[in-house]
Amino acid sequence: MAALGWLSPRRRPATARSVLAGEAAAEAARKTSRQLELLDRAEREAEPDVEFPVRGDVRAAAFFDLDNTVMQGAAIFHFGRGLYKRKFFQRRELARFAWQQTWFRLAGVEDPEHMQDARESALSIVKGHRVSELMTIGEEIYDEYMADRIWPGTRALAQAHLDAGQKVWLVTAAPVETATIIARRLGLTGALGTVAESVDGVYTGRLVGEPLHGPAKAEAVRALAAAEGLDLDRCAAYSDSHNDIPMLSLVGHPYAINPDAKLRRYAKEREWRLRDYRTGRKAAKVGIPAAAGVGALAGGTAAAVALHRRRR
């Protein structure tokens, strides 16, 4: 049993190396805290001097992508999970939905094949069901799987536009019924989404046109702006995906929210504003260093300084 003595907890005196480790950790913590304070100050100073959104500007509006911008993950996958619970389809289809959702969350970018597969699966699942039935179920699914996945930071941005008296729209490839439920629950104006064909209130299993994705989103925003009498140069748009660059480029105030790598690079080149809520940090402009990078640099520097002092 003596050979297993190392498994038993016991007090050990502090060695020179443990003292060094403690000093380095403490100094790194202090330096990291200071660096984050400086970063926060830089973010505040980088904010524009002009009021935005402009209160009472009724010719301005805001357009928000849904998946990974307003909500963590993809709405259609959460919807599929709820339908499985209600026995709309079998376990093997749920496994495919789960894998696609996991990939989307980890990669932070849309896979066109995954999204197309999810849409086709959803269309086949709802075929023959009444629109009113799916709307009722959609309300329940929102409470079960979506309500807790709304990014608070993005929700606050949308609320700022609402408080300024502006309309706020979701623009998404998700089914328009699902998007409308989410918009209403969040107190937004409405939603633009993919339209599934129905006859006499029953889904046929086909789309009207194509999914509202990429350039189609920009066309939807352009059409809505014309109908609502909006000035797109005074409007804002928010998205996480490079697929939405056409929509973001359409407005005077584009924001990259939780951006994928391609959108981050594109936004940096054009000095678009960025908000990243995945780490709990935000940066007023893409050019500001990420907090994680600052922390790592500060920690490494502190450890080196402490080691140098001990050796001297």
Side-chain angles (χ1 to χ4, degrees):
M1 297 296 291
L4 299 179
W6 62 273
L7 291 174
S8 303
R10 56 185 172 181
R11 293 180 177 273
R12 293 185 177 180
T15 65
R17 292 181 65 84
S18 62
V19 171
L20 174 59
E23 290 178 353
E27 191 159 356
R30 293 181 63 252
K31 287 185 175 292
T32 301
S33 176
R34 177 57 179 163
Q35 290 290 345
L36 292 178
E37 289 178 6
L38 294 175
L39 179 58
D40 286 334
R41 183 182 305 171
E43 290 173 355
R44 291 193 297 270
E45 292 175 353
E47 294 291 338
D49 294 329
V50 298
E51 177 190 9
F52 184 79
V54 179
R55 184 172 296 276
D57 186 0
V58 296
R59 295 200 64 199
F63 302 94
F64 284 79
D65 169 56
L66 176 58
D67 296 344
N68 224 33
T69 302
V70 172
M71 174 186 296
Q72 299 176 40
I76 194 168
F77 298 143
H78 297 313
F79 188 65
R81 184 181 177 188
L83 291 181
Y84 169 77
K85 179 181 177 181
R86 291 159 177 81
K87 303 185 185 304
F88 273 68
F89 55 93
Q90 302 301 313
R91 182 179 295 274
R92 65 178 180 275
E93 293 170 296
L94 176 66
R96 188 171 72 251
F97 268 91
W99 158 244
Q100 292 167 343
Q101 169 69 358
T102 300
W103 190 95
F104 180 58
R105 289 291 303 278
L106 293 177
V109 63
E110 297 170 353
D111 183 300
E113 292 184 4
H114 286 181
M115 301 302 288
Q116 178 66 22
D117 183 37
R119 280 189 291 269
E120 290 177 354
S121 297
L123 286 170
S124 64
I125 290 167
V126 303
K127 181 179 179 180
H129 289 273
R130 300 197 66 81
V131 176
S132 58
E133 176 192 7
L134 269 296
M135 287 293 289
T136 300
I137 292 174
E139 297 277 359
E140 299 171 358
I141 291 175
Y142 176 84
D143 290 330
E144 293 169 3
Y145 300 113
M146 301 182 187
D148 292 338
R149 290 178 169 83
I150 303 299
W151 292 109
T154 311
R155 179 69 185 87
L157 291 174
Q159 189 61 48
H161 287 279
L162 294 170
D163 292 343
Q166 298 175 5
K167 294 183 177 181
V168 178
W169 303 83
L170 290 181
V171 188
T172 175
V176 67
E177 294 85 359
T178 302
T180 299
I181 290 170
I182 296 171
R184 183 171 57 78
R185 289 299 193 93
L186 296 179
L188 309 183
T189 306
L192 297 165
T194 298
V195 179
E197 182 185 73
S198 63
V199 176
D200 296 329
V202 177
Y203 288 113
T204 65
R206 296 187 294 270
L207 291 181
V208 176
E210 62 181 18
L212 197 68
H213 187 265
K217 283 189 178 181
E219 293 306 316
V221 169
R222 196 191 309 273
L224 183 63
E228 294 278 325
L230 301 174
D231 182 349
L232 287 172
D233 287 337
R234 290 146 73 173
C235 291
Y238 302 78
S239 178
D240 73 296
S241 173
H242 69 279
N243 293 314
D244 289 338
I245 286 175
M247 177 179 76
L248 294 170
S249 301
L250 200 60
V251 301
H253 301 277
Y255 279 74
I257 304 292
N258 306 328
D260 61 36
K262 289 183 180 180
L263 178 57
R264 184 180 292 274
R265 287 194 298 269
Y266 193 90
K268 182 177 181 179
E269 292 171 358
R270 288 154 182 78
E271 294 190 336
W272 287 358
R273 303 176 74 74
L274 173 124
R275 295 290 186 273
D276 198 327
Y277 301 116
R278 292 168 296 191
T279 59
R281 298 289 305 158
K282 72 173 185 177
K285 286 192 176 181
V286 182
I288 295 177
V294 173
L297 178 61
T301 302
V305 169
L307 180 60
H308 178 67
R309 287 176 179 172
R310 290 294 298 176
R311 286 177 174 172
R312 293 188 60 183

